Amino acid sequence: MKYLSKLMIIAILISMTFIYIEPMAHADEDAKWEKIKQSGELKVGLSADYAPLEFEKTVNGKSVYAGIDIELAKKIADDNHLKLKIVNMQFDSLLGALKTGKIDIIISGMTSTPERKKEVDFSDSYMESSNVVLIRKSDKDTYHSLKDFSNKKVAAQKGTEQEKIAQQEIANVDLNSLNRLPDAILALKSKKVEGLVIEKPVAEAYVKQNEDLIIDNADFNEAKKETVIAVPKNSPLLLEHINKTIKEVKDKKLIDQYMEKAAKEMQDDGNFFSKYGAFFIKGLKNTILISFIGVIFGAIIGALIALAKLSKFKLLSWIASIYIEFLRGTPMLVQVFLVFFGTTAVLGLDVSALICGTIALVINSSAYIAEIFRAGINAVDKGQTEAAQCLGLNYSKTMFHIVLPQAVKNVLPALGNEFVTLIKESSIVSTIGVSEIMFNAQVVQGISFDPFTPLIIAAVMYFVLTFSLSRIMSLIEGRMKASD
Ligand code: ARG
């Protein structure tokens, strides 16, 4: 046990040091720019929950990105003869993704701040913006100035400037930081918070779509802030090319045009399902796909790990124990991020979010399934092994022909439960941008400006999936009992 914990600590420390090694670059050259040119593709990271800057919308049942930042990204890609690839993730994951090389640049309505400047470099600004407080219309006589919010619950998007400003400028504020802006809007509408600190253009977009919200006339002290594009440190050529496009955009006043276009794109008609049904179907497909792969491969790896743990070789059984304990003792969310950022930062691989998410699910479920198998193997009557050995079968023959087939039968119900769990847990990979049910529900929250309906639909979808699966499992179990 003592060795076990030591080994575990060492393993964790090693993986952490690797993850923090940053790619080195010389000042006189720009490895990043070379790499982008070579791949012919510009990976732009953003959080598409921020209309009119970046949001998703459906065109003929297909989802596309739209907004000022998207137009700007397109222009930068076009000007440099690159293909544009949008990578959508939570705002507070963007800086990490940029530093680990998951994305090449960030165009996500990001404000230039001294803290961020330590981590990344910034382009010239392409917009300016100020902050406001969004409130419920019914409260318009209660809140007139920032002072009125002191000691009150106020929301902001996690990792944004607004989070900091709320803390600095509202005395004793009870701040509620939410990962995604639609969640913050939902918190406001459902009276979980009294106000939402938000940038003005975005607030205006929400007010247009939500009759029950208005912008408060409370004024923040600070001056207008610059909105910029973030690039990795030491990428002078990349920065130069971006600034060239920004200069042209400003000279020709293109931002105003982009804004107009975005405003048009934000309003579309049709009913909820004809507009957003495609998102939910796509989410359903991916949820089923990743959970299915999760149990199947989880079961294969899990069976091997279980055998390793039961093995006579101490080392092998130790390694299996560490594997199982580590995976069961750390949150799935952490594992998902470790795989997502680890594949690029440690292994230098360019792996899609879908694959990273699936790998994380497989690894995680394999640990649980290993324990299921171990219990299943142990539950096989000792007499079976003894009889097999009396007949002269060796260890592996006994295992594979006598014990395992019976064990599999023992564990089928537990495997079914694991499948059900996996379907629900798979929603966690939405955080890295895998477009399964939860992710797409969040996308629809963003585009429809309706934070509630998509959640209900997602809940119903998960329920129908897990409920039917449980039914099927009990049918199979009944059959198996009968055949005994
Ligand atoms: N401008 C703010 C900041 O940089 C908020 C940006 C949030 N962007 C988004 N796409 N959600 O902190």
Side-chain angles (χ1 to χ4, degrees), residues 283-335:
L284 181 68
K285 276 192 210 149
N286 277 337
T287 291
I288 294 178
L289 179 77
I290 56 182
S291 323
F292 189 69
I293 297 182
V295 263
I296 297 298
F297 285 87
I300 296 172
I301 299 176
L304 295 176
I305 301 285
L307 287 179
K309 185 158 178 182
L310 291 170
S311 145
K312 293 176 291 218
F313 302 108
K314 274 268 149 13
L315 183 68
L316 206 57
S317 121
W318 268 354
I319 294 176
S321 295
I322 294 174
Y323 181 87
I324 295 172
E325 294 307 328
F326 180 75
L327 289 167
R328 296 202 311 169
T330 52
M332 167 102 150
L333 183 63
V334 177
Q335 294 164 15

Side-chain angles (χ1 to χ4, degrees), residues 230-375:
V231 302
K233 281 234 171 278
N234 303 320
S235 352
L237 288 178
L238 174 59
L239 202 56
E240 198 183 302
H241 285 91
I242 291 175
N243 281 337
K244 204 168 142 212
T245 301
I246 291 182
K247 182 168 184 315
E248 192 193 328
V249 164
K250 286 211 288 212
D251 288 347
K252 294 190 182 160
K253 301 215 163 25
L254 292 181
I255 294 288
D256 295 339
Q257 283 177 32
Y258 295 166
M259 181 73 139
E260 245 169 68
K261 188 170 172 207
K264 270 197 212 113
E265 281 169 325
M266 275 165 56
Q267 41 181 262
D268 49 4
D269 28 41
N271 69 30
F272 200 89
F273 283 95
S274 69
K275 271 191 295 186
Y276 311 122
F279 286 97
F280 290 102
I281 306 275
K282 181 173 161 211
L284 181 68
K285 276 192 210 149
N286 277 337
T287 291
I288 294 178
L289 179 77
I290 56 182
S291 323
F292 189 69
I293 297 182
V295 263
I296 297 298
F297 285 87
I300 296 172
I301 299 176
L304 295 176
I305 301 285
L307 287 179
K309 185 158 178 182
L310 291 170
S311 145
K312 293 176 291 218
F313 302 108
K314 274 268 149 13
L315 183 68
L316 206 57
S317 121
W318 268 354
I319 294 176
S321 295
I322 294 174
Y323 181 87
I324 295 172
E325 294 307 328
F326 180 75
L327 289 167
R328 296 202 311 169
T330 52
M332 167 102 150
L333 183 63
V334 177
Q335 294 164 15
V336 168
F337 277 118
L338 277 178
V339 173
F340 186 57
F341 291 126
T343 41
T344 351
V346 183
L347 305 175
L349 299 174
D350 181 18
V351 193
S352 76
L354 181 68
I355 295 179
C356 290
T358 313
I359 292 177
L361 274 187
V362 167
I363 295 179
N364 181 276
S365 72
S366 72
Y368 287 90
I369 295 179
E371 286 297 273
I372 294 176
F373 266 117
R374 195 171 62 98

Side-chain angles (χ1 to χ4, degrees), residues 46-51 53-54 69 89-92 94 107-113 116 129 131 157-163 179-181 199 202 225-227:
L46 49 82
S47 167
D49 58 359
Y50 217 56
L53 280 98
E54 50 256 336
D69 284 349
M89 61 178 89
Q90 281 176 10
F91 187 76
D92 70 338
L94 284 169
I107 312 185
S108 194
M110 186 171 269
T111 306
S112 163
T113 68
R116 288 174 181 162
S129 106
N131 295 302
Q157 187 177 23
K158 196 154 154 208
T160 62
E161 265 302 281
Q162 288 63 46
E163 194 184 22
N179 269 326
R180 298 174 47 266
L181 203 58
E199 278 178 291
V202 186
K225 289 264 173 86
E226 300 193 322
T227 306

Side-chain angles (χ1 to χ4, degrees), residues 382-394 397-399 402-403:
K382 269 237 169 65
Q384 300 279 327
T385 318
E386 285 162 12
Q389 272 160 2
C390 280
L391 292 173
L393 294 189
N394 62 15
K397 280 217 170 106
T398 309
M399 258 307 168
I402 310 291
V403 179

